[in-house]
């Protein structure tokens, strides 16, 4: 199976960025281009930039990098919407491919045509064509379903998920109390990672945590004790990424996360009580700050949930 970034739109985007780069001799050296991006608040290694500019083995460039390269290379305004459209379609296709691989499962082998017929005895059919034990098995199956249903509705965690809309949904099985940082019971159903996309570091930039495996090991790293609104810094060590989560919100409240390079992700609450941002890459939770921006003030999560060196 090939690289998940090697989709048609990803190749087209990389080809376009390379054309921009080759058309501007003043910034032909990639190290100089990396330095210019850093001055604009874009942290990027030369190796990553090289992959962005290589159509033969393309890696989908981040949206903020595409925008800054358009400015640095002085490209015509009409080329930016084209590049952003390629970026959006390539990102969507990559996520779809990752989900497809995550949900793929080996098929059961076809029954052999030469399989021996069942021997007479237990489970053999009676002359009437029905197994003598059929009614017993059916009764056991019905009883099991009734017991499972009763347990399902009796469990105390039913209905405890976030109630926002859009990005303001529950992050998954590792929900955490803002006051104590203690893990809450799971709120999802089915296999926890069957339909979740994978990402790591920069490839997680701007993705919805609910749609990725990052939600499965996410913890609350920092909180605040504000009496009105809850703010948490959520962090996934597996993915190396973080996001901000706010609770007890009202319409217009903003969840925002930012890093030391000046990059931010934010979400403005429309309805519901809880909300969270998309993800921002972070090597450590200390490298980012999560805040709730209200109409009259801001509250940031600065209290660690565990002692940190």
């Amino acid at each position: 199976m090939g690289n998940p970034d090697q989709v048609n739109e990803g190749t087209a985007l990389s080809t376009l960025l390379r054309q921009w780069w080759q058309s501007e001799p003043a910034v032909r050296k990639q190290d100089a281009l990396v330095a210019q991006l850093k001055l604009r608040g874009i942290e990027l290694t030369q190796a990553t930039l090289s992959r962005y500019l290589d159509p033969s083995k393309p890696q989908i460039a981040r949206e903020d990098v595409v925008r800054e390269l358009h400015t640095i290379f002085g490209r015509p305004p009409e080329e930016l919407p084209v590049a952003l459209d390629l970026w959006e379609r390539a990102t969507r296709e990559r996520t779809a491919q990752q989900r497809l691989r995550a949900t793929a499962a080996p098929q059961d082998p076809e029954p052999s045509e030469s399989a021996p017929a069942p021997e007479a005895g237990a489970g053999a059919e009676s002359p009437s064509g029905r197994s003598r034990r059929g009614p017993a098995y059916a009764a056991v199956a019905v009883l099991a379903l009734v017991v499972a249903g009763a347990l399902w509705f009796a469990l105390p965690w039913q209905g405890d998920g976030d109630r926002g809309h859009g990005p303001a949904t529950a992050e998954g099985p590792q929900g955490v109390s803002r006051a104590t940082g203690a893990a809450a019971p799971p709120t999802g159903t089915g296999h926890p990672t069957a339909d979740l996309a994978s990402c790591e570091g920069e490839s997680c930039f701007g993705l919805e945590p609910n749609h990725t495996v990052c939600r499965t090991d996410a913890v609350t790293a920092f909180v605040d004790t504000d009496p009105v609104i809850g703010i948490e810094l959520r962090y996934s060590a597996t993915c190396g990424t973080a996001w901000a989560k706010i609770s007890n919100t009202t319409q217009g409240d903003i969840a925002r996360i930012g890093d030391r390079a000046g990059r931010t992700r934010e979400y403005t609450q429309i309805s519901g009580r809880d909300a969270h941002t998309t993800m921002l890459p972070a090597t450590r939770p200390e490298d980012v700050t999560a805040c709730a921006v209200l109409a009259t003030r801001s509250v940031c999560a600065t209290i660690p949930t565990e002692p940190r060196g």
Side-chain angles (χ1 to χ4, degrees), residues 229-277:
I229 193 167
I231 174 67
E232 303 173 29
L233 191 155
R234 300 281 287 161
Y235 182 74
S236 166
T238 298
C239 297
T241 188
W243 58 96
K245 178 181 177 181
I246 55 177
S247 55
N248 197 32
T249 65
T250 59
Q251 184 177 6
D253 290 345
I254 299 173
R256 176 179 296 163
I257 188 167
D259 61 17
R260 296 175 181 177
R263 293 190 298 175
T264 61
R265 306 302 297 172
E266 65 178 42
Y267 175 76
T268 302
Q269 181 68 303
I270 300 174
S271 62
R273 303 294 288 171
D274 303 322
H276 63 268
T277 67

Side-chain angles (χ1 to χ4, degrees), residues 130-151:
R130 293 179 297 177
S131 170
R132 299 186 188 93
R133 297 190 177 184
Y137 289 145
V140 171
V142 171
L143 179 60
L145 288 174
V146 171
V147 173
L151 288 174

Side-chain angles (χ1 to χ4, degrees), residues 2 19 29 51 62 65 69 80 106 130 132 210 216-217 237 249 260 267 269 280-282 284 287 289 298:
Q19 290 173 351
K29 291 185 177 181
R51 290 192 291 271
R62 299 195 326 246
V65 174
L69 290 179
L80 181 58
R130 293 179 297 177
R132 299 186 188 93
N210 276 343
T216 60
D217 77 322
T249 65
R260 296 175 181 177
Y267 175 76
Q269 181 68 303
L280 188 64
R284 306 176 306 156
D287 295 337
T289 302
S298 295

Side-chain angles (χ1 to χ4, degrees), residues 4-166:
D5 280 351
Q6 291 179 352
V7 293
N8 291 337
E9 289 81 1
T11 302
L13 175 61
S14 184
T15 300
L16 178 61
L17 296 181
R18 188 174 184 85
Q19 290 173 351
W20 290 357
W21 174 51
Q22 292 178 335
S23 68
E24 185 54 61
V27 285
R28 183 65 59 83
K29 291 185 177 181
Q30 292 188 9
D31 56 349
L33 186 53
V34 168
Q36 287 203 33
L37 288 169
K38 187 173 183 179
L39 291 175
R40 294 171 175 267
I42 304 296
E43 291 290 341
L44 195 68
T45 66
Q46 186 173 338
T48 299
L49 177 63
S50 179
R51 290 192 291 271
Y52 288 169
L53 302 175
D54 185 2
S56 65
K57 296 180 180 180
Q59 177 175 327
I60 299 173
R62 299 195 326 246
E63 180 185 8
D64 57 342
V65 174
V66 174
R67 292 181 180 276
E68 293 301 333
L69 290 179
H70 177 268
T71 301
I72 291 173
F73 293 135
R75 303 303 301 176
E78 61 270 16
E79 290 188 8
L80 181 58
V82 174
L84 293 178
D85 180 64
L86 288 173
W87 173 84
E88 182 177 358
R89 286 187 288 152
T91 303
R92 185 165 57 243
E93 178 64 19
R94 177 181 61 187
T95 301
Q97 289 183 0
Q98 290 172 337
R99 289 182 180 176
L100 182 62
R101 287 196 302 274
T103 55
Q107 299 295 320
D108 293 335
E110 294 292 334
S112 171
E113 295 181 359
S114 60
E119 297 180 1
E125 290 190 352
S126 67
S128 64
R130 293 179 297 177
S131 170
R132 299 186 188 93
R133 297 190 177 184
Y137 289 145
V140 171
V142 171
L143 179 60
L145 288 174
V146 171
V147 173
L151 288 174
W152 177 261
F153 288 104
L155 288 176
W157 46 264
Q158 287 298 318
D160 286 343
D162 294 347
R163 295 175 173 79
H165 297 273

